[in-house]
Amino acid sequence: MITKSYKDLCIEIQLLELRVKDLKREYNFYASFIDTKPRGIRVSTTEGERVTSSKPYMNPEEAYRKCAEINALLIQYDELLTDKLTTKAEMEKGMEQLETLEGKINYYFHVKKMKLYEIAEELGYSYEWIREVKSRYERRQNNPQSTHKFCAKV
């Protein structure tokens, strides 16, 4: 159950990081409209009849409002992401202290990103045994009703 929660947390962190990256791009897009003078045009005034362009420009006040909305979202996402990264670090620290063989295997596999043969070498067991224990653990996680070999499925 712990490893599933850990993997889910890692996926949530990746998704939040993608969203933050997208919001930053959107922020930069709207921020480009805050300049009152269009880029590349050198005139002393930007009145409608003197400056013409094929590129439509957003009203600077509207662009500023959009940027403020995005900035508020970025602050919220930053707090959420910081909390999730702290939780991830705490989970990794706790998983490192697990003393069962299954716990150690899952720590090395999910946190340290080690292969099963590397885990076997690290812990001093055969590859086949490590693979068996990992497989047994995953079966139990996927089918929590059959935690005992004599339990009948309902």
Side-chain angles (χ1 to χ4, degrees):
M1 192 67 166
I2 293 172
T3 56
K4 185 173 183 187
S5 297
Y6 178 79
K7 288 193 295 190
D8 288 346
L9 180 64
C10 290
I11 291 169
E12 286 179 25
I13 290 170
Q14 289 175 343
L15 292 174
L16 281 170
E17 288 173 340
L18 283 173
R19 182 64 179 134
V20 165
K21 185 178 175 182
D22 180 59
L23 283 172
K24 285 180 180 180
R25 273 190 256 128
E26 190 175 348
Y27 180 91
N28 289 334
F29 172 77
Y30 288 121
S32 69
F33 293 115
I34 293 178
D35 291 338
T36 55
K37 183 182 91 169
R39 291 186 191 140
I41 299 175
R42 297 185 181 145
V43 294
S44 59
T45 182
T46 57
E47 295 172 8
E49 64 271 358
R50 298 187 97 194
V51 177
T52 59
S53 173
S54 61
K55 180 181 176 186
Y57 288 94
M58 179 181 275
N59 182 351
E61 290 81 20
E62 185 179 349
Y64 179 80
R65 185 181 53 74
K66 289 277 197 185
C67 284
E69 290 173 8
I70 292 170
N71 193 43
L73 280 174
L74 284 171
I75 290 170
Q76 290 175 2
Y77 282 134
D78 183 54
E79 291 173 4
L80 185 60
L81 198 53
T82 301
D83 290 345
K84 288 194 180 286
L85 288 169
T86 302
T87 301
K88 180 184 174 198
E90 290 171 0
M91 285 184 79
E92 288 174 354
K93 187 177 179 182
M95 289 172 71
E96 184 179 18
Q97 296 173 357
L98 292 174
E99 294 183 11
T100 65
L101 183 58
E102 291 173 342
K104 289 178 180 181
I105 291 170
N106 282 311
Y107 171 74
Y108 286 123
F109 188 79
H110 294 289
V111 177
K112 297 276 191 171
K113 306 288 187 208
M114 293 173 72
K115 306 286 184 212
L116 292 180
Y117 69 89
E118 295 171 324
I119 297 169
E121 188 176 305
E122 177 77 21
L123 297 177
Y125 290 96
S126 70
Y127 167 76
E128 291 77 19
W129 179 244
I130 296 295
R131 187 180 66 202
E132 171 64 29
V133 172
K134 177 89 173 110
S135 176
R136 184 175 37 190
Y137 177 80
E138 287 178 354
R139 276 195 311 269
R140 208 169 48 234
Q141 292 300 312
N142 293 334
N143 190 6
Q145 291 178 345
S146 65
T147 57
H148 192 276
K149 60 183 173 181
F150 297 113
C151 287
K153 290 188 179 180
V154 180

